Amino acid sequence: MSHHQEHFHFGYRRHPDQDRDNDPARHPVVVVGAGPVGLSLAIDLAQRGENVVLLDDADRIGEGSRAICFSKRALEVWDRLGVGARMVEKGVVWQVGKIFRRDEMVYQFDLLPETGHKMPAFINLQQYYAEAYLVERVQQLPQIDLRWRNKVTALAQHNDHAVLTIETPDGSYRLAADYVVACDGARSALRGMVGAEFAGEVFEDQFLIADVRMNAEFPTERWFWFDPPFHSGQSALLHRQPDNVWRIDLQIGADADAAVERLPGNVRPRIERMLGNSDFSFEWISIYKFQCRRMQRFLHERVIFAGDSAHQVSPFGARGANSGLEDGENIAWKLAMVLRGDAPASLLDSYEIERSQAADDNIRHSTRSTDFIAPHSKQERRLRDVALALARDVEFAKRMVNAGRLSTPTAYDTPLSTPDADAWSAGPKPGAALLDAPLQAADGGPVFLTDAFKAAGCGFVLLEIANGAAAPAPQGVRSLRIGKDAPLRDEEGLFTKRYDATPGAAYLLRPDGYVAARFRHPTQAALDAALARASGRAGR
Amino acid sequence: MTAALSTRSNFADPDAAYRMIVEAHRGVSDEQSAALDAALVLILANHIGDLDLLREAVTLAKRSVVSEGQG
């Protein structure tokens, strides 16, 4: 029980670096951990022209019931990395969530109530598929050297590099790197090696996670129950995955005996009560307790922490893997600029500033949701139950019902942003991620703004609303002109609406697609200053 | 006089308001919690300062509690 077929196996191969006894090979970046975060980060760095060594202590993927919900922002990142379409094609697309109390629906939400976006609000996809597609993409990129069964066992920090000791089936060897990015998960070995604490809140309630294979007619929506008839007094979650697999998540309380509860013979009747039949088989069963915690700092000299190694949340809200992918997109361009000498090393400080804000945001939302789902005291339970009872009748209480607030990208309050000097009635503010919009190319064909951004090379991009002469794009900044006679047209007017776009206005986008600055009437000097600031060369 | 109790969502961040109430009850006994809630009711009722509004609120609250248990 509790083992998938192992979906994907990879071979260990000896590398010439392993023969260099006293003189470890030096690489610009070593990424530790080939999960979704490490794989995506390696691809991002490679697409930016960097050589990457990617280490993983295992030689297979496909075990465990892990992340399933991937957010619009994560899909936009993956699209830029060349795997977005594949993920969406295999994944189950959804955007509606329903919350039930007993057998009555109390609240329904739609995460993307508008059209004109390339990527959906969410897909559900087993993590092993995501990892398999990322590995395939890695294999197309000669800049990435992926080494399986390479386990980091020691770390030494030096002035301008770090040295890793790595255990392999052929014994151990050492590797030097300008920067190490630790994407080695919640139980990060590197976190221990830098001596960092991982403090936060542990929730006492236990949750039974079962991935069940069945043919079912439930709609492709996120369904959450408080106190359902089939699981009295507790909560339940049902979510569809590809291949007729369904994620079921049942709260079983603080006192349940995990060793007993996880036995298939005990899980089966619970699921039968929920589904009303016994026509299913188990893909995976496990029991979890949730934690919300983070490292105090994500930068430790030459080691940078990203994903679960740096911060951990409960699963309500799909903020784990998605925030890790956002970490990756945030650090990739900064690291590439620093390694190329295009930015000072202090640019990396903004990673910690920006992603700390996101981690705090995610922990705050995740903690609130978990508190609502698993109240700490009698009084909290009464408050929760009364909110649910009122939610049948009144709007304000519906809005307080919290069964998970789903992941959206945090808008950064960051020294890289140039504050608005003009008035805007819409549009992503400096520090916020770009919003997609449907456009038309010169040949009339449809093209999304995210596609145009990607085609422009994912460096700094000036999004320019055409008005006669071109705006003075700083050197090295690609310009995307949108307007009536420009290379990109906004026939539906959605871009104009979403960006409060007036003729002559411009948005300066960072290489991760976040807004660095925006101007109604940009001048050369203002754009140069905004670019310098967003590159860590000025400001603060 | 037609009082109209607002049951729209009035907080920009309802989760933050909910959390503030939760946190107020952390670390006190169940009995103290009940007293804390009673104090909150009186404080907020006085702030509203309108008997008709208060009556509407009482009716709504009662309805949600009395209909409990009917499934």
Side-chain angles (χ1 to χ4, degrees):
Chain A
M1 187 58 245
S2 298
H3 279 278
H4 289 283
Q5 65 269 39
E6 280 165 9
H7 283 260
F8 308 97
H9 238 111
F10 306 95
Y12 160 77
R13 273 199 316 224
R14 190 178 173 85
H15 191 277
D17 283 356
Q18 293 172 239
D19 300 323
R20 298 173 53 152
D21 290 342
N22 296 315
D23 171 34
R26 173 117 175 213
H27 295 273
V29 197
V30 173
V31 175
V32 181
V37 178
L39 289 162
S40 300
L41 172 60
I43 296 166
D44 210 341
L45 287 164
Q47 290 191 173
R48 295 182 186 283
E50 298 305 319
N51 291 318
V52 188
V53 178
L54 176 56
L55 307 176
D56 197 90
D57 59 1
D59 60 356
R60 61 179 177 271
I61 53 186
E63 286 184 313
S65 173
R66 300 188 289 172
I68 59 164
C69 298
F70 295 100
S71 70
K72 181 170 186 291
R73 184 64 202 162
L75 294 170
E76 286 169 353
V77 172
W78 277 343
D79 201 39
R80 193 165 54 68
L81 303 182
V83 292
R86 190 139 185 226
M87 301 281 185
V88 173
E89 188 188 329
K90 178 69 188 175
V92 168
V93 171
W94 67 278
Q95 65 189 58
V96 170
K98 287 179 181 159
I99 297 170
F100 301 88
R101 171 178 176 263
R102 298 179 185 158
D103 48 13
E104 228 179 303
M105 191 177 82
V106 292
Y107 186 53
Q108 172 173 346
F109 55 85
D110 185 336
L111 297 166
L112 189 60
E114 62 181 29
T115 59
H117 295 263
K118 183 176 185 188
M119 287 295 154
F122 269 92
I123 64 164
N124 288 351
L125 181 68
Q126 290 90 333
Q127 184 171 324
Y128 50 78
Y129 280 125
E131 289 177 354
Y133 300 158
L134 289 165
V135 169
E136 281 183 30
R137 177 71 183 127
V138 161
Q139 285 162 347
Q140 296 169 348
L141 295 165
Q143 297 92 334
I144 304 176
D145 171 5
L146 172 50
R147 304 182 190 177
W148 300 104
R149 296 189 71 185
N150 271 239
K151 180 182 176 157
V152 176
T153 55
L155 163 78
Q157 300 255 21
H158 299 274
N159 265 344
D160 63 350
H161 68 287
V163 177
L164 299 171
T165 304
I166 298 158
E167 193 97 339
T168 74
D170 289 331
S172 70
Y173 72 106
R174 291 186 306 149
L175 210 53
D178 291 0
Y179 290 96
V180 174
V181 191
C183 307
D184 53 344
R187 286 189 287 269
S188 171
L190 277 153
R191 193 178 56 227
M193 291 174 203
V194 303
E197 279 195 22
F198 201 38
E201 189 174 353
V202 181
F203 296 88
E204 292 305 314
D205 264 60
Q206 301 176 94
F207 291 80
L208 168 71
I209 312 270
D211 281 349
V212 162
R213 190 181 287 273
M214 63 178 177
N215 289 306
E217 297 300 314
F218 300 108
T220 307
E221 298 170 346
R222 179 184 192 267
W223 282 14
F224 193 100
W225 288 265
F226 290 99
D227 191 19
F230 55 83
H231 192 51
S232 184
Q234 305 280 23
S235 73
L237 176 69
L238 178 68
H239 227 172
R240 179 182 214 151
Q241 305 173 59
D243 304 341
N244 292 319
V245 174
W246 298 74
R247 164 71 51 89
I248 292 170
D249 185 332
L250 298 174
Q251 184 180 23
I252 56 171
D255 302 326
D257 182 342
V260 173
E261 291 294 343
R262 74 160 60 89
L263 297 173
N266 293 330
V267 179
R268 180 161 278 281
R270 288 189 185 281
I271 307 291
E272 282 174 355
R273 272 199 297 281
M274 176 173 185
L275 301 174
N277 68 68
S278 53
D279 196 12
F280 58 84
S281 59
F282 291 119
E283 286 273 299
W284 178 263
I285 296 171
S286 53
I287 292 184
Y288 289 94
K289 257 190 200 176
F290 301 132
Q291 318 208 16
C292 287
R293 52 187 182 166
R294 57 164 286 192
M295 294 174 82
Q296 194 63 39
R297 291 174 39 229
F298 300 164
L299 302 179
H300 286 258
E301 297 173 63
R302 291 279 156 165
V303 184
I304 301 163
F305 290 83
D308 282 357
S309 71
H311 42 74
Q312 208 186 346
V313 291
S314 85
F316 303 110
R319 292 168 180 271
N322 291 312
S323 69
L325 294 167
E326 293 170 13
D327 287 351
E329 72 162 344
N330 191 287
I331 195 65
W333 67 274
K334 294 172 183 176
L335 210 42
M337 278 187 81
V338 169
L339 288 167
R340 280 199 310 267
D342 291 344
S346 59
L347 177 62
L348 303 179
D349 295 345
S350 69
Y351 166 75
E352 185 165 273
I353 294 168
E354 294 173 354
R355 295 311 299 166
S356 282
Q357 289 171 17
D360 289 344
D361 217 19
N362 288 322
I363 287 173
R364 183 165 52 246
H365 280 293
S366 177
T367 301
R368 288 172 179 174
S369 302
T370 312
D371 283 346
F372 197 92
I373 292 164
H376 286 227
S377 66
K378 262 167 87 173
Q379 177 61 23
E380 274 179 49
R381 175 170 281 270
R382 280 195 287 261
L383 183 66
R384 195 280 303 272
D385 289 346
V386 151
L388 281 166
L390 282 168
R392 295 162 58 172
D393 293 328
V394 288
E395 175 64 22
F396 85 86
K398 291 186 203 298
R399 295 282 313 277
M400 286 180 172
V401 170
N402 188 343
R405 305 284 184 225
L406 284 128
S407 173
T408 53
T410 295
Y412 307 132
D413 180 6
T414 169
L416 303 192
S417 290
T418 299
D420 280 340
D422 305 315
W424 300 83
S425 65
K429 296 181 176 64
L434 90 170
L435 283 172
D436 209 354
L439 300 169
Q440 289 70 41
D443 63 5
V447 54
F448 282 98
L449 180 58
T450 49
D451 287 325
F453 177 72
K454 180 179 168 186
C458 302
F460 280 99
V461 165
L462 190 66
L463 207 57
E464 189 196 324
I465 295 90
N467 183 30
Q475 203 173 5
V477 173
R478 295 283 297 271
S479 184
L480 287 177
R481 300 195 80 207
I482 301 169
K484 244 193 179 126
D485 304 308
L488 293 166
R489 294 195 308 275
D490 178 25
E491 284 171 9
E492 292 167 63
L494 286 174
F495 169 80
T496 302
K497 200 170 131 207
R498 283 175 195 170
Y499 283 77
D500 186 16
T502 48
Y507 282 73
L508 179 65
L509 301 178
R510 313 185 331 185
D512 55 3
Y514 280 65
V515 174
R518 55 182 180 171
F519 304 96
R520 289 282 177 210
H521 303 285
T523 62
Q524 177 89 54
L527 288 172
D528 286 348
L531 177 65
R533 188 167 182 156
S535 311
R537 292 196 301 264
R540 267 173 211 254
Chain B
M1 160 111 209
T2 54
L5 180 71
S6 166
T7 56
R8 285 168 304 147
S9 187
N10 291 323
F11 286 109
D13 182 355
D15 291 348
Y18 187 90
R19 175 75 186 184
M20 190 177 288
I21 298 169
V22 164
E23 277 178 355
H25 289 274
R26 290 265 161 102
V28 305
S29 72
D30 195 49
E31 211 157 86
Q32 286 171 317
S33 267
L36 178 69
D37 268 353
L40 259 181
V41 167
L42 293 181
I43 292 164
L44 295 176
N46 177 65
H47 180 87
I48 289 163
D50 182 319
L51 209 53
D52 293 320
L53 275 181
L54 184 60
R55 186 174 295 111
E56 267 193 69
V58 167
T59 306
L60 173 61
K62 255 193 155 160
R63 194 166 78 216
S64 81
V65 173
V66 171
S67 66
E68 276 304 89
Q70 297 173 351

